Amino acid sequence: MRRIIIFDEQTKKKKTLTLTNEHEAKIKALPNFQKNKDQLMLKAQKFLEKKMYLRQAFWKDVMMVAFGALMTTIALNYFISTTGKTGLFPGGLGSITRFLAIISTHNVENQSSLYFVYYAALNIPLVIFGFWKLGFRFTLTTLLYILFSTAFDWIIRFIPVINPTEWHMIINYQLISKIPNEWNSAIWLFVFAVIGGLVLGASYALVYKIGSSSGGSDFLTMYFSTRKNKNIGSINRNLNFVILTLVVIMNTFLLKTADINEPIKLDVLNNLTNDQWYQMVDGIKSWAAPGNHSPFVPSKIIELAEKFNGTRESGMQIAGYLAADSMFEGYSNGSTLLMQFKFILGPSWFASVILIIVQSLVITAIYPKYKFRTIFISTTKPEDVKRFLFNSGYRNEVFEWESKMQSPHTIANKHTLVITITVINWKALEKGVAALDPDMNFNVLRTRGVKGRENIELKTGKKDEFILHKIQNNKEWSKKIEDEAILKTIKEQNEQIRKEYKLQTKTDLKANKAKNQEN
């Protein structure tokens, strides 16, 4: 006899369902019973895996994620956000959130805080998607990274002296950018791009190494790379560049001429025709007229406008003063559009591209997940080597052929094995492979790419076997899983009988109706 405790939805009380051995055997013989049991077993395995992770490795991952988040906060607060609305933009979702922060406030310090708030908000649907499709560990640590980054931003802002308002890494970029007739701001923009890329790349690599991410487009990258089992890093990088370009374009057309770099203004003014210069002079006079901006107009500009004689030289004298004057907005629509177009392909975009490139190079150097090597292994113990590789989780093909090795003094028959493996995985296996045969030789070749399906991760299956064995040896868990499988099977069987009865009733009604019509 088997007794199963069930909860009655109608009476809201627990009841006992008693099955005879014969009835139990019939249910277990049904084809969907084993299917239901396997599904419940898989669910139990995932639950136990989460429980083991939270007990064993979770706090170590939290420390790594927190350190990576702190590095990200430093990079964004001190090297990226400090460059203002005409400065640097990170890649991917970061570009969008930085743009939203810029259009929300003109205060540079507030832009940085809003960046983290918007980034966390935009990641909410992606986090939900991650728990659904990408697994508990990956999504939980990514969520912690996002929350830590936001928290560190708020904490740093309240620390005296070293907060971003009072403390500036290397140089006060906002102060330098306000000095007229200087290329210093553009040079420092590229310096900040390189340093910001180094710090961001290191922080991202740190979280990638523990199987986490920085959020944003990483969710989609992880999903497609897992489904396709291949590197789509180049697609993600190109997508980052496209998003960056679109964001810079949108940001540029919202800028005022006062925000555009002085050299760009001078370049546009330098190419004006005589007719355009006469229109410009009229615009200056209108701009300086009483009731407009007359109290703020430098007298030198008015004097040069009055003396303008139509020559290029007199026009460029005016241009030097106009480009340096942030108050002047009397440019024609055509000149303004040309300035904006030149700004799009100016320091802001190029420096942001450099930031993304440096960031990618650092990630690849620290965490070369998709960098492959082709390994030629010459050995007299090929079976031992293959057994070690497969037991260690190597799941790709091993090419093998017999070969004759000749040196000045010896001739030996050996086997040559060829495998393709990632740099990270080969570092984990190299010492173990070498220990199998003291006369073994390696030849490691750089691999530009791998076509077709390639298993990147080492997966032995031992962890899954351990979890399954633990569940099967626990009588209470095993009984609970079987009970739930039986109940689910009974419910499905009853539903199937109900559908068949309903269909049969419908068929009988149609037959009776047809018979009555004939009579």
Side-chain angles (χ1 to χ4, degrees):
M1 300 286 287
R2 189 182 192 101
R3 291 181 174 84
I4 303 174
I5 306 298
I6 61 174
F7 183 78
D8 193 328
E9 292 289 342
Q10 293 180 345
T11 62
K12 304 295 181 183
K13 293 181 180 180
K14 291 183 179 179
K15 289 186 177 181
T16 302
L17 175 66
T18 304
L19 299 176
T20 62
N21 293 337
E22 184 181 357
H23 191 190
E24 181 184 349
K26 285 182 179 180
I27 294 171
K28 288 183 176 180
L30 293 171
N32 52 338
F33 170 77
Q34 191 60 43
K35 179 184 175 183
N36 291 333
K37 185 179 177 181
D38 291 342
Q39 289 176 347
L40 291 167
M41 186 69 76
L42 182 61
K43 188 177 179 181
Q45 284 179 263
K46 288 182 178 180
F47 173 78
L48 186 57
E49 187 177 359
K50 291 177 189 177
K51 194 174 180 180
M52 289 172 61
Y53 167 67
L54 291 173
R55 282 182 177 178
Q56 299 171 6
F58 175 68
W59 293 109
K60 181 183 176 182
D61 286 356
V62 168
M63 295 297 292
M64 296 286 281
V65 165
F67 187 64
L70 178 60
M71 292 175 67
T72 300
T73 305
I74 290 171
L76 285 160
N77 280 345
Y78 293 97
F79 296 106
I80 297 176
S81 294
T82 190
T83 58
K85 57 185 174 182
T86 59
L88 297 172
F89 288 83
L93 188 63
S95 292
I96 298 172
T97 51
R98 176 137 163 70
F99 173 67
L100 292 175
I102 286 172
I103 63 176
S104 298
T105 178
H106 296 294
N107 185 284
V108 174
E109 286 75 22
N110 291 340
Q111 286 174 9
S112 182
S113 293
L114 282 174
Y115 169 89
F116 289 103
V117 173
Y118 287 145
Y119 192 74
L122 291 177
N123 267 284
I124 291 173
L126 294 172
V127 168
I128 295 170
F129 171 80
F131 277 117
W132 180 36
K133 289 290 187 180
L134 298 175
F136 177 78
R137 179 177 180 175
F138 173 85
T139 310
L140 177 62
T141 51
T142 301
L143 176 60
L144 288 174
Y145 168 86
I146 295 167
L147 295 176
F148 274 133
S149 300
T150 307
F152 283 135
D153 171 66
W154 285 98
I155 292 170
I156 288 173
R157 295 197 173 279
F158 287 103
I159 300 177
V161 182
I162 67 168
N163 64 76
T165 305
E166 299 180 52
W167 180 269
H168 305 281
M169 290 287 186
I170 306 177
I171 198 169
N172 187 337
Y173 181 85
Q174 286 299 309
L175 185 61
I176 286 292
S177 63
K178 292 175 182 177
I179 299 175
N181 300 315
E182 286 285 343
W183 272 93
N184 277 348
S185 60
I187 294 170
W188 280 109
L189 188 65
F190 284 91
V191 172
F192 276 34
V194 172
I195 299 173
L198 289 170
V199 179
L200 273 183
S203 68
Y204 291 164
L206 197 64
V207 296
Y208 291 160
K209 287 183 79 170
I210 64 166
S212 184
S213 80
S214 60
S217 58
D218 285 346
F219 279 107
L220 302 179
T221 302
M222 179 66 176
Y223 175 68
F224 286 109
S225 63
T226 302
R227 285 196 66 184
K228 302 294 183 182
N229 196 32
K230 65 178 183 180
N231 176 21
I232 61 168
S234 58
I235 298 174
N236 187 48
R237 185 171 58 251
N238 294 338
L239 180 62
N240 284 342
F241 286 138
V242 170
I243 294 173
L244 169 66
T245 303
L246 292 174
V247 167
V248 170
I249 291 172
M250 290 188 293
N251 183 58
T252 300
F253 285 107
L254 292 177
L255 293 176
K256 297 179 180 179
T257 51
D259 300 317
I260 295 176
N261 311 47
E262 183 181 335
I264 292 176
K265 294 179 185 178
L266 281 172
D267 187 35
V268 172
L269 294 172
N270 184 48
N271 292 290
L272 293 181
T273 63
N274 282 347
D275 290 340
Q276 288 173 326
W277 264 117
Y278 278 113
Q279 292 176 5
M280 182 65 71
V281 169
D282 290 339
I284 293 170
K285 292 177 180 178
S286 174
W287 176 60
N292 290 340
H293 299 85
S294 54
F296 309 103
V297 180
S299 58
K300 189 65 178 177
I301 295 181
I302 299 173
E303 181 184 338
L304 290 172
E306 294 291 344
K307 293 181 179 179
F308 179 70
N309 56 14
T311 63
R312 182 184 182 83
E313 290 73 15
S314 61
M316 287 311 296
Q317 286 180 346
I318 299 172
Y321 283 95
L322 288 181
D325 195 321
S326 60
M327 292 291 295
F328 181 70
E329 295 181 357
Y331 299 101
S332 66
N333 291 335
S335 297
T336 302
L337 285 172
L338 187 56
M339 289 176 187
Q340 290 173 332
F341 178 76
K342 287 179 177 289
F343 181 86
I344 290 171
L345 299 177
S348 176
W349 184 83
F350 275 105
S352 298
V353 168
I354 288 175
L355 184 149
I356 294 173
I357 292 173
V358 172
Q359 171 187 303
S360 299
L361 292 173
V362 173
I363 292 171
T364 303
I366 297 176
Y367 183 60
K369 181 178 181 179
Y370 296 106
K371 189 180 286 186
F372 289 92
R373 294 288 183 265
T374 299
I375 316 295
F376 286 77
I377 304 171
S378 177
T379 179
T380 56
K381 300 178 179 179
E383 297 304 319
D384 291 345
V385 174
K386 287 186 287 185
R387 190 180 304 111
F388 175 81
L389 289 172
F390 293 136
N391 288 341
S392 299
Y394 180 77
R395 295 176 292 158
N396 297 312
E397 296 161 329
V398 177
F399 299 93
E400 178 183 1
W401 65 82
E402 293 186 22
S403 53
K404 182 179 288 186
M405 303 297 174
Q406 184 172 352
S407 66
H409 304 291
T410 60
I411 297 177
N413 292 321
K414 288 189 173 183
H415 285 251
T416 299
L417 307 178
V418 182
I419 63 173
T420 302
I421 191 170
T422 63
V423 173
I424 293 174
N425 290 340
W426 177 240
K427 285 180 179 179
L429 300 181
E430 184 177 3
K431 288 184 180 180
V433 172
L436 297 172
D437 183 2
D439 297 322
M440 182 183 296
N441 293 320
F442 293 124
N443 191 355
V444 182
L445 302 180
R446 288 179 177 271
T447 305
R448 292 186 61 183
V450 178
K451 301 292 184 182
R453 189 171 182 83
E454 184 78 10
N455 293 300
I456 296 172
E457 305 292 343
L458 294 178
K459 192 171 183 180
T460 62
K462 291 181 180 179
K463 184 178 178 181
D464 294 337
E465 290 176 7
F466 171 77
I467 293 173
L468 182 61
H469 181 72
K470 192 168 183 177
I471 293 172
Q472 290 173 340
N473 286 350
N474 189 305
K475 293 181 179 180
E476 185 180 345
W477 287 355
S478 297
K479 183 180 183 304
K480 186 177 180 181
I481 289 170
E482 273 205 351
D483 286 351
E484 290 185 15
I486 288 171
L487 289 173
K488 191 174 180 181
T489 305
I490 291 173
K491 187 177 180 181
E492 289 174 350
Q493 191 70 11
N494 290 340
E495 183 66 21
Q496 182 65 29
I497 293 170
R498 188 186 67 80
K499 286 181 179 179
E500 289 176 358
Y501 175 77
K502 189 176 179 181
L503 182 63
Q504 185 62 44
T505 303
K506 193 175 181 180
T507 305
D508 291 344
L509 286 172
K510 284 183 178 180
N512 291 334
K513 187 176 180 180
K515 188 176 180 181
N516 291 334
Q517 286 177 350
E518 287 177 2
N519 295 333

